[in-house]
Amino acid sequence: MLTETFKRLLPETPAFVYDQTAIDQILLRFKEATGESGPKLLYSVKSFPFLPLLRRIAPYVDGFSASSLFEAKLCAEALAGRGSLHITTPGFRPGEIEEIGRLCDFISFNSLGQFDRWAERVEGTASVGLRVNPQRSFLPDPRYDPCRPYSKLGVPLDHLAGAGRMERLQGLHFHTVFDCAGFGPLVETLAELENKLGEDLKRLRWINLGGGYRLDRELEHMAGLSTRLQHDYGLDVYFEPGKAVTGPAGYLVASVIDVFGSGGKTVAILDSSINHHPEVFEYQRSPRLAESCGEGEERAILAGATCLAGDLFGEYTLPVPPRIGDRLVFKDVGAYTLVKANRFNGHNLPSIYRWDGKVLYLEQSYGYQDYRQQWAGEPGRQ
Ligand SMILES: *Cc1c(COP(=O)(O)O)cnc(C)c1O
């Protein structure tokens, strides 16, 4: 089994392993299932903006999508002139907008105000659009629902229709779901858009459908939607998944460094922490554990190594009692893990390894100097 291989081969833990073959397969399957008529595929880099990965997949995607100047710079470096670079963010700043305009090919402003202030300054080098908020909510948790009440993300469709900006717009962008298993919400959202904007859609050159959808089913459906938009409105269609590309390909491998009883339960302390996978704490999502089994009596609380009482991965059922030195593997943690990781308590970040189907390659490691750099009080680094 793959996770057993990782445990055997890794020289140290904690380690983050990403399976290059899994990412290649996801991208290839998308291209095969959607074909020429499918949407142009961008990788939304924020879930794992790892430069070696970006360089490697650049030939297999139509471009990248970024959320900030720094991400855009990293993407531009990886693209090295090929593919297209898209950006949208509520956080465009006055001092950055020209540089963003030079780096990015497509800019979707987040509000009518942003558009009015800055469209002119980037129109010479980028294709300018707006992020709209279709006001159709599909998520149970407002913390990650872009269409929550009083949302800060995108121009409400109600405001756009009749705002007199359609003539100058080249494209529209929306992004409304997270970890969504089917394209039903996309169908509803497009219907809303067509209903509110109608023939105005024909004025545009492109539409960006955002990300947030899983890519493990119904890809033909996506191809059909894209074909219809191209046919009915003459639009170039872009799609920018993040988690669907990297999530299933990532593993966090940790070692047990202590085991004891507490109030009648077994607690195993790992050499990692939820600071290496903050979504556990943020959204109370217990990551899948490769070793956990449905049956068995050996329950253990897997805890992180920091001083925070709530630094807990969760309670899992294991085939055998955990022992010091055991290695455990959390699965499907390729997205939004290291990008949010921190060095709370001074614990080092996991090293990053790439699996190519045969060999594990160490691609990044951190040490005391990286920790010191963060806190050294030495200004001036660009
Ligand atoms: C985060 C984000 C994505 C990617 O979302 P995933 O859930 O990782 O697929 C795409 N577009 C925008 C605008 C985003 O904010």
Side-chain angles (χ1 to χ4, degrees):
M1 216 166 57
L2 202 50
T3 52
E4 291 303 317
T5 308
F6 295 165
K7 286 199 272 192
R8 192 164 38 78
L9 292 180
L10 281 170
E12 33 131 37
T13 61
F16 177 87
V17 180
Y18 72 96
D19 179 357
Q20 180 70 51
T21 65
I23 292 176
D24 291 349
Q25 262 173 34
I26 289 165
L27 296 174
L28 253 156
R29 208 174 48 218
F30 184 86
K31 283 288 176 194
E32 275 171 17
T34 58
E36 282 296 302
S37 59
K40 292 190 168 63
L41 183 64
L42 312 170
Y43 166 51
S44 169
V45 302
K46 73 176 191 266
S47 75
F48 184 43
F50 192 48
L51 190 54
L53 172 70
L54 302 186
R55 285 207 182 100
R56 205 170 289 275
I57 65 174
Y60 306 105
V61 293
D62 297 291
F64 294 130
S65 103
S67 323
S68 66
L69 174 62
F70 282 5
E71 279 191 0
K73 285 171 88 156
L74 209 58
C75 290
E77 186 176 337
L79 284 171
R82 88 191 129 192
S84 61
L85 183 48
H86 294 232
I87 192 168
T88 184
T89 169
F92 289 116
R93 290 142 214 248
E96 298 176 350
I97 197 69
E98 267 89 7
E99 189 176 2
I100 286 177
R102 283 192 300 273
L103 286 168
C104 297
D105 308 292
F106 296 80
I107 299 181
S108 297
F109 288 109
N110 185 63
S111 70
L112 292 170
Q114 269 189 350
F115 177 82
D116 292 343
R117 280 193 299 281
W118 291 327
E120 218 175 341
R121 282 158 66 177
V122 296
E123 265 164 347
T125 50
S127 182
V128 173
L130 268 182
R131 175 172 181 172
V132 292
N133 188 324
Q135 299 164 290
R136 291 295 303 262
S137 177
F138 300 100
L139 291 164
D141 187 334
R143 288 176 299 175
Y144 50 82
D145 179 6
C147 299
R148 63 186 277 164
Y150 318 111
S151 174
K152 65 174 188 180
L153 298 167
V155 181
L157 260 187
D158 287 346
H159 295 199
L160 182 62
R165 308 303 199 294
M166 288 307 283
E167 303 77 51
R168 267 183 72 196
L169 284 183
Q170 302 203 323
L172 286 184
H173 176 290
F174 61 83
H175 170 71
T176 62
V177 293
F178 178 65
D179 211 14
C180 190
F183 293 109
L186 184 56
V187 174
E188 279 187 47
T189 304
L190 285 173
E192 189 75 10
L193 219 67
E194 293 179 86
N195 185 25
K196 292 256 165 68
L197 300 177
E199 293 293 297
D200 268 352
L201 287 171
K202 287 191 178 153
R203 295 172 182 268
L204 304 173
R205 294 203 191 146
W206 52 269
I207 189 162
N208 185 325
L209 311 177
Y213 289 91
R214 291 198 212 150
L215 300 182
D216 50 1
R217 66 197 85 176
E218 292 187 21
L219 291 178
E220 300 72 19
H221 193 177
M222 164 54 96
L225 289 171
S226 167
T227 309
R228 193 173 65 73
L229 289 169
Q230 292 169 42
H231 177 264
D232 290 358
Y233 303 103
L235 293 168
D236 287 337
V237 183
Y238 292 90
F239 181 46
E240 49 177 26
K243 181 176 181 173
V245 178
T246 52
Y251 302 79
L252 183 64
V253 187
S255 298
V256 176
I257 55 173
D258 199 8
V259 182
F260 47 81
S262 178
K265 294 195 177 195
T266 302
V267 175
I269 306 285
L270 307 182
D271 62 356
S272 180
S273 95
I274 57 165
N275 299 312
H276 297 161
H277 187 35
E279 290 209 328
V280 176
F281 200 61
E282 258 175 20
Y283 301 127
Q284 291 74 50
R285 294 171 167 244
S286 257
R288 288 177 61 205
L289 184 75
E291 292 75 17
S292 86
C293 49
E295 294 165 19
E297 296 295 306
E298 299 301 337
R299 302 276 295 166
I301 294 171
L302 301 184
T306 74
C307 70
L308 180 69
D311 177 6
L312 305 169
F313 286 92
E315 194 172 350
Y316 294 85
T317 304
L318 301 169
V320 291
R323 287 160 313 183
I324 290 174
D326 283 354
R327 289 180 167 185
L328 298 171
V329 186
F330 295 104
K331 294 165 62 165
D332 295 325
V333 295
Y336 305 112
T337 296
L338 291 190
V339 74
K340 295 182 172 189
N342 63 62
R343 300 185 184 89
F344 180 52
N345 274 196
H347 289 295
N348 198 14
L349 295 174
S351 302
I352 303 178
Y353 289 83
R354 175 171 63 87
W355 171 250
D356 75 346
K358 290 199 181 85
V359 179
L360 274 179
Y361 297 92
L362 176 64
E363 292 197 319
Q364 175 86 55
S365 60
Y366 307 90
Y368 173 66
Q369 284 309 322
D370 300 295
Y371 174 73
R372 185 186 176 282
Q373 185 58 51
Q374 188 173 5
W375 302 110
E378 293 167 355
R381 274 164 58 111
Q382 289 298 307

